[in-house]
Amino acid sequence: MEAPTVTGVASAKGDGGLSALLSTEFLICPSGNKVNPKDIEGKTIGLYFAANWFQKCVSFTPVLVSVYHKLMEQELPFEIVFVSSDENQSSFEQFYSSMPWPAVPFSDINSKRSLSHKFQIEGIPALIILKPGGGLIQTEGVEILYRYGLQAFPFTSERIAELEAEEKRKYASQTLEKLLAISGKDHMIKRNDQKLQVTFSSLVGKTVGLYFAAQWCPPCLKFTSRLMSIYNHLQERREEFEVVFVSMDRDEAGFLQYFSGMPWLALPYGEESSKALARYFDIQEIPMLVIIGPDGKTVTKGGRNLINLYMEMAYPFTEAHIRLLQEKMDEEGQRYPTSFKHDGHRHVLNLVSEKSGGGPYICCACDEQGLGWAYQCLACGYEIHLKCGREVKEDTGDRC
């Protein structure tokens, strides 16, 4: 089954408690026991829509489990109910075995369909937060937990407003040293001498890329090689640029093996310290390259996309510099043919700009990010970078 994009959920108003939303008279528990929905209606409830076949659900579930256990330890009135989008009973049971909360029985199609319809679920994972009694509190529970973690409870708009105000204050007073200290560490390490402690102050005044990645992540492995090439070019040019690896690996062995092939600095391994920085920047997927300017303020969280688009020319990643690159790209784009036959696609491709349909895309020729100018097939959506176009020299017959 093709995985959907996460398009969010629309607002809805709760009518009555959880039991009024269900066709079934009971929920199931990991222990095999049954729970009457009315027994948990006095709590704040998170309806968790997910499936084991979608990687973003697999990635978010441990985050939710961690927050859930911490709320239980504090004896706070909170419960989660799993609403499965799995393909069959076996897949449901396998995925549900990683969860400590109640679930709608997999066989209860009516309840699952009713809940999805009521809260207009258009993508997974989705976490709908209901107040005691069933009224709606939040539709963006996944984003909120990634961003604020345990602090978000009880998930009300007032609590989120408090956290947003606190976040703004933190960003306003952000310095590189304060930022790196969020990790709970007081130094960085080098690949070739991990006993040597490199101080945070040594990076003050430089443009710094915080690189969130992990060895188990195939897109990270692909981007790391590209980032290494860019890094080495900038070092040869003696630019004031440094990268700090923030490991999202599952264990220290994975971190050490991955870091052994990197030419830059890293924060010492620590799962909780990496999570603290990831929460600060609301990291929801990897690889992610966050660019910090010489003044210690965040320049962009989109360093990866900028490097994919502009390579080393993206440095120093500032908004003004990227605007100049875009203007240069516009000038160059106007010199390309308005259409041509690409060796690799059976339809004629048309030149498009950002203003005429060439927004963000993934190049079908090289699988890398694209933005703005492109050659696009109006018949089927095939799209490539201008540089990836290969004109057909002779008629070779139809091809896909």
Side-chain angles (χ1 to χ4, degrees):
M1 182 181 293
E2 184 179 353
T5 56
V6 180
T7 55
V9 292
S11 297
K13 293 183 179 180
D15 299 312
L18 178 62
S19 58
L21 302 175
L22 300 173
S23 302
T24 185
E25 296 182 356
F26 63 88
L27 302 171
I28 60 173
C29 290
S31 63
N33 294 332
K34 297 179 180 179
V35 175
N36 188 324
K38 293 182 179 180
D39 293 342
I40 62 173
E41 286 182 348
K43 300 180 179 182
T44 298
I45 295 175
L47 297 176
Y48 181 40
F49 297 81
N52 77 322
W53 47 263
F54 192 29
Q55 183 57 46
K56 288 190 175 181
C57 298
V58 174
S59 299
F60 177 68
T61 298
V63 175
L64 186 56
V65 169
S66 175
V67 170
Y68 179 82
H69 282 313
K70 290 173 181 175
L71 290 173
M72 295 303 100
E73 289 171 3
Q74 297 181 30
E75 299 184 351
L76 293 172
F78 181 64
E79 191 55 85
I80 293 173
V81 176
F82 176 41
V83 185
S84 170
S85 295
D86 292 298
E87 295 172 304
N88 52 53
Q89 181 73 35
S90 175
S91 298
F92 163 75
E93 291 174 356
Q94 181 181 359
F95 193 31
Y96 185 47
S97 67
S98 65
M99 304 177 191
W101 44 70
V104 175
F106 181 77
S107 59
D108 186 3
I109 304 298
N110 290 335
S111 288
K112 292 190 290 183
R113 184 181 294 124
S114 173
L115 289 169
S116 296
H117 176 73
K118 181 173 183 62
F119 297 107
Q120 300 180 39
I121 303 301
E122 298 176 357
I124 55 174
L127 183 64
I128 306 298
I129 308 295
L130 304 179
K131 66 178 67 171
L136 180 66
I137 298 178
Q138 284 287 350
T139 61
E140 302 295 338
V142 172
E143 179 182 347
I144 287 169
L145 279 187
Y146 267 129
R147 192 169 179 180
Y148 300 117
L150 180 66
Q151 299 178 78
F153 186 82
F155 311 104
T156 60
S157 56
E158 293 80 9
R159 178 56 182 154
I160 302 307
E162 290 174 359
L163 292 171
E164 288 175 345
E166 182 181 332
E167 193 173 65
K168 287 180 180 178
R169 288 193 295 271
K170 282 194 302 185
Y171 281 125
S173 63
Q174 177 181 301
T175 66
L176 182 63
E177 291 171 289
K178 284 182 181 179
L179 182 59
L180 294 175
I182 291 173
S183 68
K185 308 296 183 182
D186 60 4
H187 66 280
M188 300 165 292
I189 57 176
K190 287 186 174 181
R191 176 194 61 177
N192 53 1
D193 188 358
Q194 295 186 22
K195 293 183 179 179
L196 177 65
Q197 298 187 357
V198 181
T199 63
F200 296 154
S201 61
S202 65
L203 298 182
V204 172
K206 294 185 177 183
T207 297
V208 176
L210 299 180
Y211 183 39
F212 296 82
Q215 185 188 40
W216 51 262
C217 166
C220 295
L221 299 178
K222 183 177 181 180
F223 182 70
T224 295
S225 61
R226 171 163 293 185
L227 182 58
M228 286 173 61
S229 175
I230 303 305
Y231 177 84
N232 289 332
H233 282 152
L234 293 176
Q235 294 299 305
E236 289 171 5
R237 283 164 38 183
R238 299 187 181 278
E239 301 286 2
E240 291 292 306
F241 178 65
E242 189 53 75
V243 173
V244 177
F245 175 40
V246 184
S247 172
M248 305 302 287
D249 288 291
R250 296 178 176 127
D251 53 50
E252 188 169 13
F255 159 71
L256 292 173
Q257 185 175 357
Y258 196 22
F259 182 48
S260 67
M262 298 177 178
W264 43 68
L265 302 170
L267 290 172
Y269 180 77
E271 188 176 3
E272 290 304 317
S273 60
S274 296
K275 286 181 179 178
L277 267 177
R279 280 195 298 270
Y280 183 86
F281 288 110
D282 190 25
I283 304 297
Q284 297 188 25
E285 60 183 6
I286 55 175
M288 181 75 75
L289 183 66
V290 179
I291 304 298
I292 308 300
D295 60 355
K297 301 294 189 290
T298 303
V299 175
T300 178
K301 290 169 54 178
R304 175 194 176 191
N305 286 345
L306 293 177
I307 282 179
N308 282 335
L309 286 169
Y310 304 114
M311 304 297 283
E312 65 268 20
M313 291 189 299
Y315 177 84
F317 308 96
T318 61
E319 185 176 341
H321 180 68
I322 299 305
R323 189 160 50 247
L324 289 174
L325 293 177
Q326 290 170 341
E327 291 172 357
K328 182 180 178 182
M329 184 181 290
D330 286 343
E331 292 177 5
E332 293 176 350
Q334 293 171 7
R335 296 197 290 266
Y336 279 79
T338 56
S339 64
F340 87 116
K341 190 75 178 293
H342 173 58
D343 181 17
H345 192 68
R346 66 173 181 259
H347 299 136
V348 171
L349 301 184
N350 294 277
L351 183 68
V352 295
S353 68
E354 188 170 8
K355 296 178 180 178
S356 62
Y361 63 93
I362 299 298
C363 176
C364 294
C366 68
D367 292 327
E368 293 294 352
Q369 176 79 40
L371 177 67
W373 290 92
Y375 275 116
Q376 185 183 83
C377 176
L378 301 181
C380 62
Y382 184 91
E383 199 161 9
I384 60 172
H385 294 124
L386 301 186
K387 64 183 179 182
C388 291
R390 302 185 308 276
E391 189 168 8
V392 175
K393 299 300 182 183
E394 57 184 84
D395 186 6
T396 57
D398 286 348
R399 62 186 74 210
C400 295

